[in-house]
Amino acid sequence: MELLLEQISQITHGVVLNRIKPKVAGEGREYPILTISQLIDEENGVCDYEVPTVLVDTKKEKNLNLAREHSIVIGLTSFHRAAVLEKQHEGKIIPSNFVSIEFQNGIMDPYYFAWYFNEHPEIRRQRTIAIQGNSSVKVLSVHMIRQLMIACPDLATQMSIGKLYYYQKKKQLLLMEKMRLEEDVLTEEMMQHLDKL
């Protein structure tokens, strides 16, 4: 069964940061921001990145689109991928270069959706066609995301595929970490040899 993404989920555009800042400098509450560079760093096994913050007018706090564990974001600019948010993302503001997706209870496994959006050949083709803009800035439209046809097998099948995708990503991160550690050990050994000269 295939369904339109907008039929089975709540799709929310991220907030424009300039619209939530307080009018009087220094007033408001500070919030961390989710960024594309954070997600790219995490895909490459880097976890010690700086998290930018923004001061938010207290009257506009109720309008914030905040990250929640197991919700999904899709990058509209440069990072045209779906990412499942984890515990460390909770409470970060989702800015306007993302859309966030929350599924109705029990209809879609988030990791299955991430695999489907990122890896399925038909969706890749649709994304390539839908990316708009000139050669320097490629933008994925919110309308295109809403109109995606998503294959919805039973939840057990989704969870099996989602789990495989999750473990594949974790394996890639562990292999990158192993390579980094091996490089560190080799560098240390070379430095020790230099010190003996």
Side-chain angles (χ1 to χ4, degrees):
M1 170 174 58
E2 283 195 337
L3 293 169
L4 278 177
L5 183 57
E6 68 180 353
Q7 291 177 318
I8 58 173
S9 67
Q10 179 180 345
I11 301 167
T12 309
H13 199 207
V15 298
V16 177
L17 297 178
N18 286 335
R19 293 185 186 161
I20 59 172
K21 291 181 179 177
K23 290 186 168 87
V24 179
E27 290 184 8
R29 186 169 160 211
E30 196 170 40
Y31 280 84
I33 304 168
L34 183 72
T35 66
I36 286 173
S37 64
Q38 289 169 28
L39 296 179
I40 291 171
D41 281 349
E42 289 171 8
E43 278 191 352
N44 293 315
V46 177
C47 294
D48 59 341
Y49 48 76
E50 283 192 41
V51 177
T53 60
V54 66
L55 210 56
V56 176
D57 187 326
T58 51
K59 294 175 193 150
K60 297 182 179 178
E61 286 181 299
K62 64 183 178 294
N63 300 327
L64 296 179
N65 185 0
L66 298 177
R68 287 190 287 284
E69 187 175 16
H70 300 301
S71 62
I72 294 165
V73 292
I74 296 175
L76 300 175
T77 59
S78 71
F79 182 82
H80 303 120
R81 297 176 58 74
V84 179
L85 299 181
E86 297 181 1
K87 191 79 172 159
Q88 73 266 20
H89 302 118
E90 279 193 353
K92 291 181 180 178
I93 291 176
I94 299 173
S96 59
N97 56 346
F98 289 104
V99 290
S100 63
I101 299 175
E102 299 271 345
F103 288 103
Q104 298 164 7
N105 287 343
I107 198 160
M108 182 73 60
D109 177 78
Y111 290 99
Y112 167 79
F113 176 79
W115 167 78
Y116 195 82
F117 186 86
N118 295 337
E119 310 299 339
H120 194 279
E122 178 57 25
I123 300 299
R124 281 183 162 184
R125 186 187 68 73
Q126 288 181 50
R127 270 198 338 250
T128 302
I129 292 168
I131 292 173
Q132 305 160 357
N134 63 35
S135 61
S136 61
V137 181
K138 300 288 187 190
V139 178
L140 195 58
S141 78
V142 178
H143 177 73
M144 175 267 178
I145 292 169
R146 291 182 192 283
Q147 298 302 305
L148 280 176
M149 291 299 289
I150 305 296
C152 297
D154 63 88
L155 196 55
T157 302
Q158 290 180 36
M159 290 173 76
S160 295
I161 293 169
K163 195 178 285 188
L164 287 171
Y165 186 63
Y166 173 82
Y167 286 125
Q168 176 192 29
K169 292 291 182 192
K170 289 296 178 192
K171 179 182 176 183
Q172 289 171 346
L173 289 174
L174 289 170
L175 288 172
M176 283 189 279
E177 178 64 17
K178 178 185 174 206
M179 286 173 48
R180 269 196 293 275
L181 290 171
E182 287 172 349
E183 286 175 14
D184 289 348
V185 167
L186 286 173
T187 301
E188 181 63 32
E189 285 179 12
M190 288 185 263
M191 294 302 290
Q192 288 175 1
H193 285 298
L194 270 179
D195 288 343
K196 291 177 183 175
L197 295 177

